């Protein structure tokens, strides 16, 4: 039997761990040992993990810094929620939610592609600045936009809902700063886990494909890649568009898990973009499974510490600093290697123990 390469082994290990956690959570839920707080966090954890996976593809493999992946998440969330709310009484639940996922993913990918066309031709930090501006623009536009649907079609305005002129049978979909209310709550933990696993497989196959190897070559030395004839802009566009699409899937899960979807700073603003970047850096740049772990830990930790009230965010900040030092401080990395506390060393010990048994 042909031995699997390290990348594939790591993917299988990650999927196995996710599947094991899923089974444990289902057993706890079935026995009544899972609190309502933890239940409410399950889908958001998967949604943020998807966005972190998308950003890690951009930062870790493409080598470009993006500060607007919360904006792509916002595009996926609102486009899918708009579709679901509009066709709530027309299309059955299952097909409608499937189409919502497709629409949210495609719209996020489209916006990512359009933004990347002019920016990825440049060098430096232009992408970070433009994506940051994009995230703020999307959030601001949504908060001032009113959209309704009636028998005459779709009506939009930036004044107020009265200026839409909807007929009596009309339905207000997007209500400015109040966002979209009444989106069907169809996101389940099972579906979220399946989409997360699918995203890991897609990223793994992409990274190890011919296109992915070209992207990594461009990241390592763009001049050398250009010298051998690689179309730099083409490969960058593919990677960035895929990254934005994965973030859009996270937005679809997020929007279909809450009753009121609002484009505010906490949900889709600059702070959320920075938080997603923290997930990527803490989990390891280029380490997709690490992004999932970091997103899960840092999403659940503030809620688990909520009983501490005043000191909750202080403890959260201290834990964040300690984790960052543990993962990246040179002296601590040497100490971990000396005593076999690196991730690879722990995995190898586990494999040897399994082989002995």
């Amino acid at each position: 039997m042909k031995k699997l390469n390290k990348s594939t082994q790591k993917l299988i290990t990650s999927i196995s761990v996710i599947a094991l956690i899923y089974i444990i959570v289902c057993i706890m839920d079935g026995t009544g040992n899972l609190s309502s707080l933890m239940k409410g966090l399950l889908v958001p954890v998967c949604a943020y993990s998807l966005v972190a996976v998308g950003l890690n593809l951009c930062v870790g493999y493409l080598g470009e810094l993006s500060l607007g992946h919360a904006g792509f998440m916002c595009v996926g969330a609102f486009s899918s929620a708009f579709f679901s709310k509009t066709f709530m009484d027309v299309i059955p639940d299952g097909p409608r939610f499937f189409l919502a996922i497709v629409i949210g993913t495609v719209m996020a990918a489209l916006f990512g592609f359009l933004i990347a066309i002019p920016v990825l031709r440049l060098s430096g930090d232009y992408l970070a600045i433009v994506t940051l501006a994009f995230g703020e623009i999307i959030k601001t536009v949504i908060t001032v936009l009113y959209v309704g649907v009636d028998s005459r079609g779709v009506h939009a305005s930036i004044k107020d809902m009265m200026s839409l002129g909807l007929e009596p049978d009309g339905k207000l979909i997007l209500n400015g700063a109040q966002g979209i209310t009444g989106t069907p709550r169809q996101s389940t933990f099972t579906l979220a886990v399946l989409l997360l696993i699918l995203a890991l497989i897609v990223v793994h196959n992409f990274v190890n494909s011919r296109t992915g190897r070209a992207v990594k070559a461009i990241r390592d030395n763009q001049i050398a890649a250009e010298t051998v004839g690689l179309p730099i802009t083409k490969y960058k566009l593919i990677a960035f568009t895929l990254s934005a699409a994965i973030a859009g899937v996270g937005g679809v899960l997020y929007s279909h898990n809450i009753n009121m979807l609002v484009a505010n700073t906490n949900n889709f603003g600059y702070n959320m973009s920075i938080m997603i970047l923290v997930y990527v850096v803490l989990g390891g740049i280029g380490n997709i499974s690490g992004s999932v772990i970091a997103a899960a830990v840092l999403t659940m930790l503030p809620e688990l510490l909520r009983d501490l009230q005043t000191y909750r965010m202080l403890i959260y900040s201290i834990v964040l600093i300690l984790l960052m030092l543990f993962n990246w401080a040179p002296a601590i990395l040497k100490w971990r290697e000396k005593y076999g506390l690196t991730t690879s060393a722990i995995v190898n010990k586990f494999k040897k123990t399994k082989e002995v048994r």
Side-chain angles (χ1 to χ4, degrees):
M1 184 180 290
K2 186 179 179 182
K3 188 177 180 180
L4 298 175
N5 58 41
K6 289 184 178 180
S7 178
T8 305
Q9 290 178 3
K10 191 173 183 180
L11 173 67
I12 293 173
T13 302
S14 300
I15 294 175
S16 301
V17 171
I18 292 173
L20 179 61
I21 293 173
Y22 171 78
I23 293 170
I24 293 171
V25 169
C26 289
I27 292 173
M28 291 178 65
D29 188 24
T31 56
N33 294 320
L34 195 67
S35 65
S36 58
L37 174 63
M38 291 300 295
K39 285 183 184 179
L41 288 175
L42 294 176
V43 174
V45 163
C46 294
Y48 293 137
S49 296
L50 278 165
V51 183
V53 168
L55 181 58
N56 207 341
L57 176 61
C58 178
V59 177
Y61 293 98
L62 181 58
E64 299 285 353
L65 177 61
S66 170
L67 295 178
H69 265 58
F72 299 124
M73 182 183 178
C74 183
V75 170
F78 274 88
S79 59
S80 62
F82 185 91
F83 172 81
S84 294
K85 183 76 181 291
T86 303
F87 295 97
M88 187 183 298
D89 303 322
V90 180
I91 305 176
D93 291 348
R96 186 184 64 236
F97 188 43
F98 173 78
L99 290 173
I101 294 174
V102 173
I103 289 171
T105 305
V106 170
M107 290 301 296
L110 177 62
F111 274 85
F113 178 76
L114 293 176
I115 289 171
I117 287 175
V119 178
L120 290 177
R121 296 176 184 274
L122 306 173
S123 60
D125 298 325
Y126 293 100
L127 181 65
I129 297 170
V130 172
T131 51
L132 173 62
F134 162 74
E136 294 301 311
I137 290 171
I138 285 293
K139 180 172 63 68
T140 304
V141 168
I142 289 175
T143 55
V144 300
L145 192 61
Y146 297 84
V147 181
V149 178
D150 60 15
S151 58
R152 294 179 297 164
V154 180
H155 305 266
S157 173
I158 57 172
K159 293 181 180 180
D160 52 48
M161 59 181 294
M162 301 303 297
S163 61
L164 293 174
L166 294 174
E167 293 183 351
D169 64 336
K171 180 166 59 173
L172 181 66
I173 306 295
L174 178 58
N175 190 16
Q178 296 181 30
I180 299 177
T181 306
T183 305
R185 298 187 64 177
Q186 294 180 278
S187 293
T188 62
F189 181 49
T190 301
L191 179 63
V193 168
L194 290 175
L195 288 175
L196 179 58
I197 291 174
L198 178 61
L200 292 176
I201 294 172
V202 168
V203 171
H204 171 267
N205 289 335
F206 174 79
V207 169
N208 292 282
S209 67
R210 181 179 178 182
T211 303
R213 289 192 292 271
V215 168
K216 287 187 283 186
I218 294 168
R219 175 201 63 190
D220 294 336
N221 194 325
Q222 183 168 325
I223 296 175
E226 205 166 7
T227 302
V228 298
L230 288 179
I232 306 296
T233 304
K234 171 188 170 183
Y235 285 123
K236 282 187 173 184
L237 280 171
I238 293 172
F240 191 79
T241 303
L242 178 60
S243 172
I246 295 173
V249 177
V252 176
L253 284 177
Y254 182 86
S255 64
H256 286 75
N257 186 55
I258 53 179
N259 289 322
M260 177 178 278
L261 181 65
V262 181
N264 56 32
T265 304
N266 293 329
N267 293 340
F268 304 110
Y270 173 76
N271 292 337
M272 179 51 66
S273 291
I274 295 299
M275 197 68 240
I276 295 167
L277 182 60
V278 169
Y279 298 156
V280 172
V281 175
L282 182 60
I285 296 175
N287 184 358
I288 300 300
S289 56
S291 298
V292 176
I293 296 170
V297 172
L298 296 184
T299 301
M300 289 186 172
L301 192 59
E303 301 302 326
L304 296 176
L305 297 174
R306 188 170 291 277
D307 292 339
L308 298 176
Q309 298 178 357
T310 308
Y311 302 103
R312 177 170 65 100
M313 294 312 296
L314 174 61
I315 297 173
Y316 175 79
S317 302
I318 293 172
V319 170
L320 184 59
I321 292 171
L322 291 175
L323 287 173
M324 199 70 75
L325 291 173
F326 183 76
N327 280 337
W328 295 103
I332 296 178
L333 286 174
K334 288 181 180 178
W335 177 81
R336 289 174 61 191
E337 289 176 2
K338 181 179 178 181
Y339 292 98
L341 295 175
T342 59
T343 305
S344 58
I346 294 172
V347 171
N348 289 333
K349 286 180 182 178
F350 177 76
K351 286 181 180 178
K352 289 179 181 179
T353 305
K354 196 173 181 180
E355 288 174 359
V356 171
R357 291 178 181 178

